[in-house]
Amino acid sequence: MNKGFYAIFEDDQKKLVMIRILTLFTLFFVLFSCKNNPTLDDFEEKNIDKEQKDTVKSTNFGIVIHGGAGTILKKNMSDSLEKAYQEVLEKAIRKGHEILAEGGSSLRAVTETINIMEDSPLFNAGKGAVFTHDETNELDASLMDGSNLNAGAVAGVTRIKNPINLALEVMLNSEHVMLYGKGAEEFAVTRNMELVDPSYFYSESRLRSLKKVIKKEQDELSSVHSASFEDPYSKDSKFGTVGCVALDQYGNLAAGTSTGGMTNKRFNRIGDAPIIGAGTYANNATCAISATGWGEFFIRSVVAHDISALMEYKGLTLSEAAEEVIQRKVPALGGDGGVVGIDREGNVTMEFNTAGMYRAHMNSEGTLNIGIYKK
Amino acid sequence: MNKGFYAIFEDDQKKLVMIRILTLFTLFFVLFSCKNNPTLDDFEEKNIDKEQKDTVKSTNFGIVIHGGAGTILKKNMSDSLEKAYQEVLEKAIRKGHEILAEGGSSLRAVTETINIMEDSPLFNAGKGAVFTHDETNELDASLMDGSNLNAGAVAGVTRIKNPINLALEVMLNSEHVMLYGKGAEEFAVTRNMELVDPSYFYSESRLRSLKKVIKKEQDELSSVHSASFEDPYSKDSKFGTVGCVALDQYGNLAAGTSTGGMTNKRFNRIGDAPIIGAGTYANNATCAISATGWGEFFIRSVVAHDISALMEYKGLTLSEAAEEVIQRKVPALGGDGGVVGIDREGNVTMEFNTAGMYRAHMNSEGTLNIGIYKK
């Protein structure tokens, strides 16, 4: 044996060590990559303490939803249409309530509840989204987690079946909060989300609404473009956004909002629904809010965050804060609409300054409360 | 003469009356149309009482600007580069100060001051906008009028030389607050605004920054996309947004922000600059704020509105409120950046939690205060 042999032996050992290091590095990388692509399951795994899950059963969890506010009048509503709205509202809120009752997160409850309203043609969100001036559908949505102030939002997407799910993906799996249009859809593809054909959103009744609004615009001989909030099913006009807020058994708040925006909108207009602070806000320190209204006024009033700030800094209750903003501040600018909200104690608000708001609330005892018109 | 003659006479009179009514209607329509297309001149005409203009000279008007915050270090800065920054900051703020001193509105001062920074290649806004991942430039801007909470914002525009001017047009001449990309540009065309060729924003140094960020991303063997805040002129990384807040002689506050966003950004990401409440907020009851920072954290913290709310509801001074948000709340989430602000008494803040922030302030006496690094 000469020195050369030992050298070879040493080299082999080095190789082995190198291989081991590389294997470890690869394993670490794979693990690390997985951790960087969390799903809602991973989120719950990480955020819900299992022991806590089995022992702590807070009695004050709850969920509130809205399906839009506006001049919703009993006289314009057939019994069958009213029943149809009530059925979807009940189906949606029962879904979220079931998730909460079984110990799921408020984030999941909000997302899956909104999915049911997005999949219904009755509401101006997802399947029932209204048409833009160019006969396309541009959808907006946002979502916020009150436990860590994480948020996700998308605006102007045209091929996403459930925009709230993409907002969730943006929140959990991107470094960003807000993505727009084609870019947001490219991101969806990287997350293996299915894109739907834009024709998925086609609806004859919504198209009739668009043509009605355009005709009205022409009849008024106005050079000023005007988008509108037409209801294709009745003589009402309404802000048809859908939204949900929830408090889970672990004291975590979440809020989400999804919309098709205004009928006849142009210029890639963005409303309040995808704006964190305006249409959606959640903070465990205060409340979770989802708004539905004339978006421009809700952006200028930073509605959702203002309600939270009135609670946090001025000591108002959720009801007082919502009333202050919806009954005084927004109307003072000339705007109208409403909000649903829930606070960390499970107190809720369903405040609106219009003739009606599709809404429902379920508390931890399972008491269901559905409303459409002003009481 | 028979009855027929009188009938003709009567018909002629009817015609005359009809012609008069039509003429009046046309005049009214023309006047009405003009009123519906206000310019900044019309805005000042309407909002500034001329007698007030001649008599009331408030002594506490003022203006504050920023040109981005970040790890801006003296050791990475050549004397000539430092001087170049100081010169643009001084030119910009002197322009706004002159407008205010001559009795112009805070809205005009903010817009025209920002124009000077947008036209400089040194700042990440307008001419100096950074590149997206696809080697394009997507610009965002927003503007708010504290006297009536009117606001305008554009995001993702690629052919607008001065995005803050388009935000102003959206505010004054559309029914909307926020427009995106191509739609916003279509609106600009209806307002007779000139579109520039996207090559206007081409800059070799910004492209080098993009390539550097992409290389770094590849070197890190990371599958996770990462946008960044690279400074092409030094070794620093910074949030290169520009912004301005002003109080005019009539007690009206205004705020504006303009940016090119993050180098290597993808998916049509929208940051905080065009979000009312996050990057920009103005309210005569409290203050005017323009932010520059890691947009995602500033959106989640609703930074600009939170500072206003801390003043309005908790009684904090502007400085205390800005310190609370920038030194405690934003860093608690992991974010960094800064704000400039001015309140209704002319008190100002230039708060940042980074190594530096390009900034300048001028009060009604004309005292100029320019800064780059932390004191």
Side-chain angles (χ1 to χ4, degrees):
Chain A
M1 288 194 259
N2 56 18
K3 221 179 173 183
F5 177 80
Y6 285 105
I8 291 164
F9 186 70
E10 268 179 48
D11 273 0
D12 273 356
Q13 273 203 326
K14 272 186 195 164
K15 271 184 198 166
L16 262 171
V17 171
M18 280 297 285
I19 287 166
R20 279 177 190 157
I21 289 172
L22 275 171
T23 310
L24 271 171
F25 181 78
T26 309
L27 272 170
F28 180 77
F29 180 73
V30 167
L31 274 169
F32 185 77
S33 303
C34 290
K35 276 199 178 164
N36 268 324
N37 291 300
T39 62
L40 205 46
D41 288 334
D42 298 327
F43 170 85
E44 290 189 341
E45 187 75 28
K46 190 182 156 197
N47 286 272
I48 298 179
D49 185 325
K50 282 213 173 142
E51 284 186 32
Q52 187 194 19
K53 191 167 170 172
D54 292 336
T55 55
V56 183
K57 291 278 175 191
S58 166
T59 53
N60 57 3
F61 71 89
I63 182 164
V64 199
I65 61 174
H66 68 76
T71 50
I72 305 162
L73 299 168
K74 177 84 182 165
K75 66 172 182 182
N76 295 333
M77 185 79 83
S78 69
D79 287 348
S80 60
L81 185 59
E82 191 178 280
K83 195 159 168 269
Y85 274 112
Q86 283 168 340
E87 275 173 7
V88 183
L89 288 170
E90 180 167 350
K91 186 181 166 198
I93 201 160
R94 283 201 184 279
K95 175 72 185 177
H97 189 269
E98 193 184 302
I99 290 166
L100 296 172
E102 285 170 357
S105 65
S106 51
L107 202 61
R108 183 187 293 276
V110 165
T111 307
E112 297 193 13
T113 298
I114 287 178
N115 285 164
I116 290 173
M117 289 188 282
E118 282 177 334
D119 292 344
S120 160
L122 288 177
F123 302 100
N124 174 17
K127 176 69 187 156
V130 299
F131 280 98
T132 69
H133 185 77
D134 302 322
E135 299 190 9
T136 60
N137 310 88
E138 291 178 356
L139 294 84
D140 307 331
S142 67
L143 195 64
M144 190 159 184
D145 176 355
S147 71
N148 50 21
L149 305 183
N150 272 345
V154 293
V157 294
T158 61
R159 305 189 58 192
I160 304 295
K161 184 168 175 274
N162 294 102
I164 199 76
N165 297 9
L166 182 52
L168 178 72
E169 281 296 325
V170 172
M171 178 177 130
L172 295 178
N173 291 301
S174 88
E175 55 172 349
H176 301 308
V177 168
M178 190 170 187
L179 304 180
Y180 187 88
K182 283 214 186 320
E185 287 160 10
E186 276 168 33
F187 172 74
V189 170
T190 72
R191 300 298 312 148
N192 299 317
M193 282 179 77
E194 200 193 337
L195 299 188
V196 294
D197 190 88
S199 66
Y200 169 76
F201 302 104
Y202 177 85
S203 130
E204 214 164 304
S205 57
R206 299 283 183 198
L207 199 59
R208 264 202 306 276
S209 291
L210 172 66
K211 286 177 177 164
K212 202 171 137 192
V213 173
I214 291 177
K215 190 172 181 304
K216 200 174 154 199
E217 190 180 301
Q218 287 163 345
D219 287 352
E220 283 167 1
L221 283 167
S222 167
S223 63
V224 181
H225 164 75
S226 70
S228 186
F229 301 99
E230 283 288 323
D231 189 323
Y233 303 111
S234 66
K235 288 174 188 164
D236 299 333
S237 82
K238 64 179 174 63
F239 315 111
T241 304
V242 307
C244 178
V245 295
L247 169 70
D248 63 27
Q249 297 190 27
Y250 320 102
N252 291 327
L253 292 164
T257 311
S258 183
T259 191
M262 296 172 88
T263 299
N264 196 31
K265 71 180 172 186
R266 283 173 75 183
F267 309 131
N268 301 132
R269 172 251 188 192
I270 298 177
D272 64 315
I275 306 288
I276 297 301
T280 303
Y281 188 73
N283 187 338
N284 275 8
T286 52
C287 61
I289 299 287
S290 170
T292 172
W294 197 333
E296 279 68 20
F297 294 95
F298 278 57
I299 293 176
R300 291 166 54 199
S301 304
V302 200
V303 163
H305 182 261
D306 202 28
I307 292 172
S308 169
L310 281 164
M311 291 177 69
E312 190 172 4
Y313 306 140
K314 214 176 172 180
L316 265 57
T317 65
L318 173 63
S319 294
E320 289 166 349
E323 198 186 326
E324 172 68 18
V325 173
I326 297 301
Q327 305 301 349
R328 277 177 287 276
K329 295 179 94 167
V330 170
L333 295 182
D336 51 354
V339 293
V340 294
I342 189 165
D343 72 11
R344 53 196 295 182
E345 265 87 45
N347 301 307
V348 302
T349 184
M350 298 184 277
E351 193 74 44
F352 54 99
N353 60 27
T354 48
M357 180 167 81
Y358 300 105
R359 61 198 186 275
H361 166 225
M362 265 183 103
N363 61 14
S364 50
E365 286 157 17
T367 313
L368 174 64
N369 170 9
I370 296 185
I372 297 182
Y373 318 103
K374 204 171 255 179
K375 269 173 195 162
Chain B
M1 290 191 255
N2 57 19
K3 221 175 171 182
F5 176 82
Y6 286 104
I8 291 163
F9 186 71
E10 269 180 46
D11 274 359
D12 274 356
Q13 274 204 324
K14 272 185 193 164
K15 271 183 196 166
L16 262 170
V17 172
M18 280 297 286
I19 287 167
R20 280 177 190 158
I21 289 172
L22 275 171
T23 310
L24 271 170
F25 180 79
T26 310
L27 272 170
F28 180 77
F29 181 72
V30 168
L31 275 168
F32 185 76
S33 303
C34 290
K35 278 203 176 161
N36 269 324
N37 292 298
T39 62
L40 205 45
D41 289 334
D42 298 327
F43 169 84
E44 290 189 341
E45 187 74 29
K46 190 182 156 197
N47 286 272
I48 298 179
D49 185 326
K50 281 209 174 149
E51 285 188 32
Q52 187 193 17
K53 192 168 171 172
D54 292 336
T55 54
V56 183
K57 290 278 174 189
S58 165
T59 53
N60 57 4
F61 70 89
I63 183 166
V64 200
I65 59 173
H66 69 74
T71 50
I72 304 162
L73 299 168
K74 177 85 183 162
K75 66 172 184 184
N76 294 334
M77 184 80 80
S78 69
D79 287 348
S80 61
L81 184 59
E82 191 177 282
K83 196 158 166 270
Y85 274 113
Q86 282 167 341
E87 275 173 8
V88 183
L89 288 170
E90 182 168 347
K91 186 181 166 197
I93 202 160
R94 283 202 185 279
K95 175 72 184 173
H97 189 269
E98 193 183 301
I99 290 166
L100 296 172
E102 285 171 358
S105 65
S106 51
L107 202 61
R108 183 188 291 277
V110 164
T111 307
E112 297 193 12
T113 299
I114 287 178
N115 285 166
I116 290 173
M117 290 188 281
E118 282 178 334
D119 291 344
S120 160
L122 288 178
F123 302 99
N124 175 17
K127 177 68 187 156
V130 300
F131 280 99
T132 69
H133 184 76
D134 301 323
E135 298 191 11
T136 60
N137 310 88
E138 290 179 357
L139 294 84
D140 308 330
S142 68
L143 193 66
M144 190 159 183
D145 175 355
S147 72
N148 51 21
L149 305 184
N150 272 346
V154 292
V157 293
T158 61
R159 304 189 60 191
I160 304 295
K161 184 169 174 274
N162 294 103
I164 199 75
N165 297 10
L166 183 53
L168 178 72
E169 280 297 325
V170 172
M171 178 177 131
L172 294 178
N173 291 301
S174 88
E175 56 172 348
H176 300 309
V177 167
M178 190 170 187
L179 304 180
Y180 188 88
K182 282 213 186 322
E185 288 160 11
E186 276 169 32
F187 172 72
V189 170
T190 71
R191 300 299 312 148
N192 299 316
M193 283 180 76
E194 201 194 335
L195 299 188
V196 294
D197 191 88
S199 66
Y200 168 77
F201 301 105
Y202 178 86
S203 131
E204 216 165 302
S205 57
R206 298 283 183 198
L207 199 59
R208 265 201 307 275
S209 291
L210 173 65
K211 285 176 177 165
K212 203 171 135 191
V213 174
I214 291 177
K215 190 174 180 304
K216 200 174 152 198
E217 190 179 299
Q218 288 163 344
D219 288 351
E220 283 167 1
L221 284 166
S222 167
S223 63
V224 180
H225 164 74
S226 72
S228 184
F229 299 99
E230 283 288 322
D231 189 324
Y233 302 111
S234 65
K235 289 174 185 163
D236 299 332
S237 82
K238 64 179 174 63
F239 315 112
T241 303
V242 307
C244 177
V245 294
L247 170 69
D248 62 28
Q249 297 189 27
Y250 320 101
N252 290 328
L253 292 164
T257 311
S258 183
T259 190
M262 298 173 88
T263 299
N264 195 31
K265 72 180 172 185
R266 284 171 74 182
F267 308 131
N268 301 131
R269 173 250 188 193
I270 299 177
D272 65 317
I275 306 288
I276 297 302
T280 303
Y281 188 72
N283 187 338
N284 275 7
T286 53
C287 61
I289 299 287
S290 170
T292 172
W294 196 334
E296 278 68 17
F297 294 95
F298 278 56
I299 293 177
R300 291 166 55 200
S301 304
V302 201
V303 163
H305 183 262
D306 202 27
I307 293 171
S308 168
L310 281 165
M311 292 177 68
E312 190 172 3
Y313 307 140
K314 213 178 174 180
L316 265 57
T317 65
L318 174 62
S319 295
E320 289 167 349
E323 198 186 327
E324 172 69 18
V325 173
I326 297 301
Q327 305 302 350
R328 276 177 287 278
K329 295 179 92 166
V330 170
L333 295 182
D336 52 354
V339 292
V340 294
I342 188 164
D343 72 11
R344 52 196 294 181
E345 265 88 44
N347 301 305
V348 303
T349 183
M350 298 184 278
E351 193 76 42
F352 54 99
N353 60 27
T354 49
M357 179 167 80
Y358 299 104
R359 61 198 185 274
H361 166 224
M362 266 184 103
N363 61 15
S364 50
E365 286 157 18
T367 313
L368 175 64
N369 170 9
I370 296 185
I372 296 182
Y373 318 103
K374 204 170 258 180
K375 270 174 194 164

